[in-house]
Amino acid sequence: MSGKHTTILGIESSCDDTSAAILCGNKIMANCVATQHIHQKYGGVVPELASRAHQEQIVPIIKEALVNAKIELKDIDAIAFTRGPGLMGSLVVGVSFAKALSLVMKKPLIDVNHMKAHVLAHFIEVEGTTAPGFPFLCLTVSGGHTQIVEVHGPNDMNVIGTTIDDAAGEAFDKAAKMLGIDYPGGPELDKIAEEGNPEKFSFAKPRIKNLDFSFSGLKTSILYKIRDLSIENPDFIKENKIDLCASIRKSIVDILLEKLLKASKDKGIKTLAIAGGVSANRELRRRLLSLDQNGYRVHIPRFEYCTDNAAMVAIAGKFAFERGEFASQNVSADPRLKW
Ligand code: KG4
Ligand code: ZN
């Protein structure tokens, strides 16, 4: 099956998704994800529970990936795993498993930076799409991350903007919670917003001059507006939920796109890409795609490669494999792994 192409097993366990993928050449043969639903009832990821769930799921998910790709462990050329950043108790499960597997199977180990992997997901070969040309800017937006990355090559990228407080997904989830929508509320808020008037309510805008993001002012502004208007009318949220969702969504997307376009102008780079769970947001996608007809090149990967997944770890591993960069058995998980 693997033929002459390099075959990489990717393992991802940085947060609350346990994932295993098989990459052959630049194509994904399997990308299996076990999402942990247990966190829903706590309104956020509980690290201890995440770690336990990874331990339960890691063997079955790797078996599933091998079965789906129709290969055996012996066919693999290397094992790529997420070293960080992420939650310690989650990372350690994937790292320890990868190290043990490498010892037993005598296969080389490759440590991967989760954030770089999000960017490199764009290089997974998908029929009908082309990878972004260098240089490009990648907006990585999820429940844990908000970054603008300037990418000149698979091993040549810099963070030029990041959040100084909440991540974009967190901003969606926290705003949704204020409206009584269950965690993670981002997708539901997005759905409700489709019917609403985005101009009905306006909220405070961040005043940060550089390429960094801030969502805490917006969050406070939403909270105060809801609180004040609910004093006047106890049914305020119920009666205005749809317009509130649309207005909040517009405010968050405005913040994201304003900075992405500023970065594009500052750097003179008109190829734009997006990664992370928030790239599922309908408003963000529409507005990004409309740029595509206005002198920009916009790349949006398949959703399964946007959210946390091992396919992106495998493709990042393949680039490292080609450079001959391997990890030793002394490698350890690093929750604050630097860029
Ligand atoms: O990448 P992801 O699956 O997991 C990590 O956080 O790493 O991203 C999940 C985040 C959550 O905050 C979720 O609310 C947000 O992405 N999200 C959305 C949408 N779909 C997912 N936010 C806004 N609109 C959406 N359609
Ligand atoms: Zn991620």
Side-chain angles (χ1 to χ4, degrees):
M1 178 78 239
S2 58
K4 61 185 179 345
H5 291 300
T6 307
T7 302
I8 309 269
L9 165 65
I11 299 174
E12 157 65 31
S13 72
S14 65
C15 188
D16 60 343
D17 295 300
T18 321
S19 179
I22 307 290
L23 179 88
C24 185
N26 285 339
K27 285 205 175 116
I28 286 296
M29 314 306 288
N31 181 37
C32 303
V33 185
T35 300
Q36 304 174 359
H37 298 289
I38 184 150
H39 307 288
Q40 258 159 12
K41 65 176 174 193
Y42 298 99
V45 177
V46 183
E48 175 69 22
L49 296 179
S51 179
R52 280 195 223 176
H54 283 304
Q55 290 188 59
E56 287 165 13
Q57 287 160 347
I58 195 147
V59 171
I61 209 78
I62 289 175
K63 277 191 181 159
E64 191 184 321
L66 290 166
V67 168
N68 289 3
K70 299 190 178 64
I71 64 164
E72 293 175 35
L73 272 178
K74 66 175 175 43
D75 302 324
I76 282 162
D77 295 305
I79 302 159
F81 63 93
T82 300
R83 182 177 175 209
L87 299 170
M88 185 58 171
S90 291
L91 288 165
V92 87
V93 177
V95 174
S96 308
F97 194 87
K99 284 165 71 171
L101 198 59
S102 155
L103 263 184
V104 174
M105 298 302 298
K106 300 188 175 56
K107 302 285 183 186
L109 265 182
I110 301 169
D111 56 317
V112 167
N113 179 310
H114 178 88
M115 298 308 297
K116 290 187 181 177
H118 267 301
V119 175
L120 294 172
H122 286 274
F123 296 92
I124 294 168
E125 205 175 298
V126 175
E127 244 180 61
T129 67
T130 50
F134 299 115
F136 68 94
L137 298 176
C138 185
L139 175 70
T140 309
V141 272
S142 72
H145 344 286
T146 305
Q147 287 185 339
I148 300 178
V149 185
E150 181 181 352
V151 192
H152 288 274
N155 199 29
D156 181 6
M157 46 176 116
N158 302 303
V159 179
I160 56 172
T162 188
T163 180
I164 59 166
D165 39 59
D166 290 346
E170 223 177 333
F172 270 112
D173 296 338
K174 286 182 178 171
K177 194 173 173 195
M178 293 181 215
L179 303 180
I181 302 169
D182 283 347
Y183 173 86
E188 182 67 15
L189 183 149
D190 182 28
K191 208 154 84 190
I192 298 171
E194 288 293 276
E195 309 294 322
N197 172 8
E199 309 296 340
K200 176 92 175 268
F201 301 101
S202 61
F203 305 103
K205 288 188 169 47
R207 292 164 196 268
I208 296 172
K209 293 236 162 16
N210 61 16
L211 295 174
D212 286 343
F213 299 90
S214 168
F215 295 99
S216 70
L218 172 70
K219 189 177 65 186
T220 312
S221 167
I222 298 169
L223 186 70
Y224 286 177
K225 183 152 288 185
I226 291 176
R227 186 195 61 187
D228 295 347
L229 293 170
S230 295
I231 292 171
E232 288 170 23
N233 170 13
D235 289 329
F236 170 72
I237 293 182
K238 214 167 97 194
E239 289 168 9
N240 293 279
K241 194 166 179 176
I242 299 172
D243 292 335
L244 278 167
C245 286
S247 303
I248 291 167
R249 180 175 73 169
K250 179 178 182 297
S251 300
I252 297 175
V253 172
D254 281 350
I255 294 172
L256 293 173
L257 288 184
E258 188 191 315
K259 287 298 162 90
L260 184 62
L261 292 178
K262 176 171 164 46
S264 166
K265 199 163 163 234
D266 287 1
K267 301 287 176 182
I269 297 175
K270 294 198 121 187
T271 302
L272 308 177
I274 189 169
V278 178
S279 56
N281 188 268
R282 295 165 175 89
E283 171 84 359
L284 181 59
R285 291 172 89 94
R286 268 195 298 266
R287 284 173 56 187
L288 266 175
L289 288 172
S290 76
L291 291 172
D292 209 46
Q293 280 115 48
N294 285 301
Y296 295 86
R297 287 287 300 127
V298 174
H299 294 264
I300 304 179
R302 268 171 45 178
F303 186 59
E304 64 174 306
Y305 304 144
C306 277
T307 54
D308 284 352
N309 68 88
M312 69 183 196
V313 177
I315 190 90
K318 202 212 89 166
F319 285 117
F321 186 92
E322 287 169 349
R323 293 194 297 270
E325 288 173 12
F326 298 100
S328 78
Q329 277 290 329
N330 295 334
V331 70
S332 58
D334 186 349
R336 295 176 173 273
L337 185 64
K338 292 276 177 313
W339 191 253

